[in-house]
Amino acid sequence: MFRDKAIETLSSEGLQKLQIERLQQTLKRAQSVPFYRERCKEIGIAPHDIQTYDDVRKLPFTTKKDLQEGYPFGFLAVPMSEVVRIHTTSGTTGKPTVVAYTAEDLESWSELIARNLTMAGMTSDDIFQNMVNYGMFTGGLGFHYGSEKIGAVTIPSATGNTHRQIEMLSDFGVTAIHCTPSYAMRIVEVVEEMGMSLPKLKYGLFGAEPWSEAVRAELEKRLGVEAFDSYGMSELFGPGVAFECPEHDGLHIWHDAYYVEIIDPKTGENLPPGVRGELVVTPLLKYAMPLLRYRTGDITMLMPEPCPCGRGMRIARLTGRTDDMLIIRGINVFPSQIEHIVMQIPGVGDQFMVTIERVNHLDEMSISVEITDDVFNGELDQLTKLQSRLVDELKERLELRTTIRLVERGSLPRFEGKAKRVIDLREGM
Ligand code: ADP
Ligand code: ZN
């Protein structure tokens, strides 16, 4: 299902014309920001110099650090009287970054979310419970307005009080939910503890943090939903940048609103489709805070093949950030890889926690893993086997030696928002 078929399936010629036009307008709007005015002057580039995609590569990058240095309003391109909303990033990676919206920005943003929901298959007949933080985090209000836009019944349940959330899911006949995949795993667990089932539930929209195919399989099986991956970040309005179609093979970038590139994070050089690197995004419809070539820190690739659904460019599921990549004894590891390996082993429960320490100058990784009740109460032999299987799989797939601690279900922390599953105790981390 399409919300705007002509735009969503725009072919490369029409798309190039639209994107170049909007890139020029964005560059023009950015001239009201001293940071960009100075950079563009240094480089000697003006809006009419952007005629092809190659020209875009001349534009300066923007980093999260730049935005932090502009705190709070240094990147505003409109007078404050035109701003109608302010959000900040959740601050997972340091000092919060302020983002601002004009009325037009909010309209574009909710339209993009409405597209996500329609692409998943939702209509005005759906009942949608939005189980994310409604404060400064963009996921709450972002999905809220998008859902109202398609005419779905929208329940702003936010996070917390998991029992009450589940009662509402059941009593109101909720058909679609949005939350972080970590919180969805918690919901599943409590639904099962309460001995309930949620037969009306059809769509699970999950995002805001990396999650693996193993978690997707668990959520689809135990919640009975079709799970969709949702990607975005506050600096780019919030969620609504890219979303999965029913093919579940990569996320479509909303190409009329975001121009994307993949670069080598070390050299800044552009990488071709099929090669992983850092996602760089130039939003095309932002008024309050236009950005040029924003370095997201997220790692993905452009998918080389067109999608059977007919929509445009896709990015692969996000495997981590340039800055959450763990380097353990020289080996690059993403927490999502660990999750993927651990979670698909039978007997492993829903939660795990990684601790990295430096012992005698050597990095040591230990992982506490919750196990299922039957294994916990079973034979000692079964426990030992599970432990060595975990050690062996991690060794084989990541080339890393780990210490595994098996713990009882319910003993590791649960998360309502983004999970923090890695504790890095090494100095300077
Ligand atoms: P912060 O960087 O402070 O967490 P946001 O709350 O805006 O700010 O989070 C945006 C980041 O969340 C993205 O840059 C990305 O790293 C992560 N993220 C969002 N959606 C996904 C997703 N579907 N898969 C993986 N990571 C995601
Ligand atoms: Zn598709």
Side-chain angles (χ1 to χ4, degrees), residues 5-278:
K5 189 163 186 186
I7 283 286
E8 290 174 44
T9 60
L10 198 59
S11 69
S12 53
E13 236 170 69
L15 181 64
Q16 175 155 2
K17 188 167 172 285
L18 181 79
Q19 287 188 325
I20 296 290
E21 240 169 60
R22 291 187 174 174
L23 280 160
Q24 290 173 352
Q25 289 158 3
T26 299
L27 188 53
K28 205 180 259 172
R29 289 198 294 273
Q31 299 311 304
S32 309
V33 179
F35 174 88
Y36 286 128
R37 203 166 47 235
E38 280 157 30
R39 294 278 164 107
C40 291
K41 209 167 141 199
E42 270 165 39
I43 301 169
I45 196 160
H48 61 260
D49 293 326
I50 305 295
Q51 297 295 336
T52 67
Y53 289 142
D54 277 346
D55 296 331
V56 180
R57 299 176 182 193
K58 297 175 200 155
L59 294 174
F61 288 119
T62 314
T63 63
K64 200 169 189 107
K65 192 161 165 279
D66 294 328
L67 295 187
Q68 283 165 346
E69 282 168 9
Y71 181 90
F73 301 130
F75 277 79
L76 270 194
V78 298
M80 198 50 108
S81 58
E82 285 178 33
V83 171
V84 297
R85 170 105 59 86
I86 282 170
H87 279 280
T88 63
T89 68
S90 61
T92 343
T93 49
K95 196 174 168 191
T97 310
V98 178
V99 290
Y101 306 73
T102 64
E104 227 162 344
D105 288 334
L106 290 185
E107 176 58 28
S108 309
W109 184 24
S110 39
E111 185 57 34
L112 295 174
I113 303 277
R115 261 192 223 169
N116 288 354
L117 304 182
T118 307
M119 178 161 66
M122 285 173 59
T123 66
S124 59
D125 292 334
D126 280 292
I127 302 180
F128 172 71
Q129 189 161 317
N130 197 18
M131 302 187 285
V132 294
N133 183 326
Y134 263 68
M136 301 308 276
F137 178 64
T138 49
L141 289 173
F143 267 86
H144 186 98
Y145 282 93
S147 162
E148 288 188 344
K149 206 164 194 122
I150 65 161
V153 177
T154 307
I155 308 170
S157 69
T159 54
N161 200 344
T162 305
H163 281 87
R164 178 80 192 106
Q165 298 269 7
I166 293 168
E167 273 166 27
M168 287 198 283
L169 290 172
S170 172
D171 296 348
F172 299 163
V174 171
T175 58
I177 54 170
H178 170 233
C179 59
T180 60
S182 330
Y183 193 47
M185 287 303 282
R186 176 67 189 149
I187 295 275
V188 167
E189 203 174 45
V190 180
V191 166
E192 288 170 0
E193 271 168 26
M194 292 165 80
M196 300 203 21
S197 71
L198 300 167
K200 295 253 172 73
L201 205 54
K202 257 169 79 184
Y203 307 103
L205 320 180
F206 306 121
E209 63 181 354
W211 51 303
S212 62
E213 287 300 319
V215 165
R216 185 208 296 274
E218 286 295 307
L219 291 173
E220 294 202 327
K221 188 173 83 198
R222 289 161 69 185
L223 267 184
V225 293
E226 181 176 355
F228 291 85
D229 191 4
S230 164
Y231 171 75
M233 63 195 311
S234 315
E235 296 90 322
L236 309 173
F237 285 154
V241 177
F243 199 83
E244 261 179 13
C245 72
E247 300 287 329
H248 301 286
D249 184 18
L251 295 83
H252 288 286
I253 287 271
W254 293 129
H255 53 202
D256 55 319
Y258 302 99
Y259 176 73
V260 300
E261 300 166 82
I262 301 289
I263 63 159
D264 178 331
K266 287 205 191 77
T267 63
E269 291 297 316
N270 284 68
L271 296 172
V275 180
R276 279 185 193 275
E278 181 177 353

Side-chain angles (χ1 to χ4, degrees), residues 315-331:
I315 53 169
R317 261 153 78 76
L318 294 106
T319 42
R321 293 177 61 90
T322 47
D323 48 9
D324 90 353
M325 188 171 76
L326 302 164
I327 304 182
I328 302 167
R329 275 180 258 137
I331 298 168

